[in-house]
Amino acid sequence: MAHRDIIIIGGGASGMMCAIKAKEKHPDKSVTIIEKQNRIGRKLLSTGNGRCNLYNTDCNNSERYHGSFKDNLQTFFKACSLEKISAEFSKLGLSTEADNEGRVYPFSNHAASVLDVLRFKLDELGVEIICDSKVNSVIKTENGFTVSCDKKYSCSKLVLSSGSPASPKLGSDKSGISLLEKLGHKIISLSPALCPLEVIDKGFMPSLKGIRQKGTASLYDGDEFIKSEAGEVQFTDTSLSGICLFNLSVYANDIKTPIIYLNLNPFKEDYGQLLHMLKLRADSFKNRDISHFLDGLFVNKLGIALMKSAGVKDFYKRVSSLDKNDIENICDTIYNWKFSVKKPNDYNKAQVCSGGVSGDEINPKTMESKLIKDLYICGEAVDIIGDCGGFNLYFAFSCGMIAGESV
């Protein structure tokens, strides 16, 4: 059985950063990444729509995260600050820039640039990379661990950073979390997160496919308000999507009756101004077909869908036929458009996965297991989710750095 000093299971963002820091700390020790895909960093290339949103300038704000590890974040941020991650990428040779939302991207605007600087550094340091090799079992031994894949390896220290079931088309699965469960760790139940919310019983949804509209989305559990997010709402043929919906999806699995209300009012919270504007439109455009009443305010298909939801039926009559109640109903719908939605259940559409190893069982200063000495847990295996906008990738890189400096 071949021996390695440090083995890292999983060659994603967290695993690669961990390997770099571990080899820098222990240049005389063998550091090996075992990756089940045919190359490391595959999922990294898809992040940020192929641009790789590295982190966010608000990443050290614990309110942007969810999960049982959240209580550890203040200690975690001290161990690896935003400034430290920024300096690390600069040292690797990566130039970055932030947009108006605080999202930091490589200056090249290509995720490949991020993967390149990481791979070059791994090669420069002499980190061993074994691809096309899925780990089937991990056994704790007196002096470390036995790791079984197509071959068996022993190691003194083990880092598990093999991701979650989210985005299985990119090779993700729950195998790493299953290994941790077999080692005795408590696993918070898994569910898709940061994903579209599928609409129930809205026959007009296919007509809205591809339409984008600025607004505010609010999540309710029946009549109970949960959270609101402003941003661009994206309509698909079956779902409500966009960053604001993705962030709300994190809460949807924990409630009984998820309902989304969309406020597409251009005057935001000023209902009276919206109603006044609609009355003026009704007077100015009274000879138009009703089907074009909202043209200029919304894309025609979206305007028709809004009016259908408001109870308008005959779209070939003149706008002059709309009465006071019709105008008020249209105003109500623009201001508070109701969608019953399903709880997230499709890992294929999820960017990340909620759940994972309980935060109570991980030391945030080192990312070492509190249950098993010399075992370190990183990335999506940890029960933590950040909002869209670079928070999850920041956590992956940061915990990889912390673990690598601690092994």
Side-chain angles (χ1 to χ4, degrees), residues 140-174:
K140 182 71 178 81
T141 63
E142 184 178 351
N143 298 316
F145 303 87
T146 298
V147 176
S148 298
C149 38
D150 52 341
K151 296 181 180 179
K152 280 192 176 183
Y153 300 90
S154 64
C155 64
S156 303
K157 299 199 175 187
L158 178 67
V159 181
L160 211 148
S161 61
S162 56
S164 75
S167 302
K169 290 180 181 178
L170 297 175
S172 301
D173 61 29
K174 62 181 291 186

Side-chain angles (χ1 to χ4, degrees), residues 97-130:
E97 61 179 357
D99 66 11
N100 294 332
E101 301 294 326
R103 295 173 295 214
V104 177
Y105 295 92
F107 187 75
S108 68
N109 252 338
H110 288 280
S113 296
V114 182
L115 182 55
D116 283 345
V117 299
L118 292 167
R119 289 174 59 227
F120 291 153
K121 191 63 177 179
L122 290 167
D123 185 60
E124 177 186 307
L125 292 169
V127 173
E128 179 185 26
I129 299 172
I130 301 172

Side-chain angles (χ1 to χ4, degrees), residues 55 96 137 211 227 232 279 291 351 356 383:
Y55 54 91
T96 61
S137 71
I211 291 176
K227 195 174 186 338
E232 185 180 72
K279 288 177 179 178
S291 61
Q351 291 187 2
D383 178 31

Side-chain angles (χ1 to χ4, degrees), residues 14 54-55 59 65 69 73 76-77 85 362 367 377-386 390-402:
S14 189
L54 285 164
Y55 54 91
C59 271
Y65 300 86
F69 193 79
L73 285 177
F76 179 85
F77 293 149
I85 281 290
I362 301 171
M367 300 311 292
I377 304 167
C378 294
E380 288 186 61
V382 182
D383 178 31
I384 189 77
I385 305 172
F391 296 89
N392 291 288
L393 204 48
Y394 164 75
F395 182 80
F397 283 125
S398 296
C399 62
M401 180 175 284
I402 292 170

Side-chain angles (χ1 to χ4, degrees), residues 53-73:
N53 185 185
L54 285 164
Y55 54 91
N56 192 292
T57 55
D58 195 33
C59 271
N60 285 168
N61 177 359
S62 60
E63 293 308 307
R64 304 301 297 269
Y65 300 86
H66 321 272
S68 61
F69 193 79
K70 181 176 179 177
D71 292 340
N72 296 323
L73 285 177

